[in-house]
Structure formats: structure tokens, C-alpha cells
Amino acid sequence: DLFADIGANIGAYALSVAAFAGPRARILAVEPQPDIFDRLTYNIAQNPFGTVKAVACAVADKAGELTLFVDPRNRGESSLKIVGTNEGAQIRVPAVTLLGLAQGEGITRIDAIKLDVEGAEDLILEPFFREAPVSLHPRLLLIEDGTAQWQINLVGLLESRGYRQIARTRLNLIFERAAE
């Protein structure tokens, strides 16, 4: 019923899920960079699905206005954390927590989340799992593998919340929550 694409970039995941899931799916595509967000909304408008909603903000461990470090060589590697050389621009963007996003969108259940936020996945998920009701814990998590940048043992946190890793790609870790 609900797929959240956090760090949606131009919408490749969100639009692929929309094509696969059909008209009954609800998809949130969240992207904080204004020019990339414009491309995302253009791509959404070019597709007939009508099930994808673009949200212009960052998802972080706290709500408010935060600094996004923009990678000049690869805008898709911009992050709320200082990564790489940090030679790029810094822009201020609105931010919400993952729980705040769900509450603000009236979401009561999340089926799957794709989280690609350049090493800040732990900053988003740790407070979410601490504060969100279990009914909001997604069945499936596709997370960019940022283990070298995470400040906590995110895999251990997920395992303690009933998730098991079911696949690994070159860039991503895929977790599934056991049925209750």
C-alpha cells in the first residue's frame, strides 16, 4: 500500500515501483535538492501512474532546517553528513523525521522503504525505530550500504527489531521484517 523512496533523486525507484504495483499503490518520493526535485516532479508528470507524490525535504534525525552538503561531481551523493571531499556547495533545506513524514502524510502502515541518503541512514532509522509504533515498521527495507559512514551498528539495530538481511547487492542491503 505504501512505498517510501527517501533520497528519491529523479525517481527511478519510485516510478519503477509505481509501474510494478499499479494504481492501488501509494508512493512517496522524497528529495531535498531543489533542482533535482524539479527533475523528479517532471518525471512523475511524464508517467501515467498518478500514484507518486513528490515531497521536497530531507529526512533526518530532527525536524527543522538543516545543511545539505552538495557533491559537485555527483549530485546523487549529496548528504546531510560531510562525506567525500566536501568541496561542494552547502544549501539549507527543510527536514522532517521519518516518523514526522509518516504522521504528516497520514500514513498508518508502510510496506517498504528505499533509503539512499549517503551515509545518514542510521541517523534516520535509529530514532524512527525508537519512537514509531510497530505498525509503522516497514516489512521491507532497501538501504544503501553506508556501514563505513554509520555511527551505530545499524544492521544490529535492525536485527534487534525483527529484521533479517535477505539480500545484498553491490550498493544495497535488503532487509525483511518477520511476520508477526
Side-chain angles (χ1 to χ4, degrees), residues 86-129:
N86 191 34
E87 295 170 356
Q90 298 177 20
I91 59 174
R92 299 292 286 173
V93 296
V96 298
T97 65
L98 184 53
L99 179 57
L101 176 69
Q103 291 170 334
E105 293 293 328
I107 296 168
T108 58
R109 188 179 110 208
I110 302 172
D111 294 293
I113 295 175
K114 186 276 284 178
L115 192 57
D116 179 351
V117 291
E118 304 309 315
E121 294 81 10
D122 58 333
L123 294 178
I124 294 168
L125 290 176
E126 190 279 325
F128 176 75
F129 283 115

Side-chain angles (χ1 to χ4, degrees), residues 26 57 65 68 85 87 126 129 137 140 149 168 175:
R26 182 175 175 202
C57 70
E65 190 176 83
L68 182 71
T85 61
E87 295 170 356
E126 190 279 325
F129 283 115
H137 294 188
L140 193 67
Q149 298 164 325
R168 176 187 204 107
F175 295 87

Side-chain angles (χ1 to χ4, degrees), residues 71-82:
D71 187 316
R73 294 177 307 276
N74 181 351
R75 300 292 299 274
E77 291 186 3
S78 299
S79 179
L80 293 174
K81 284 183 158 181
I82 298 174

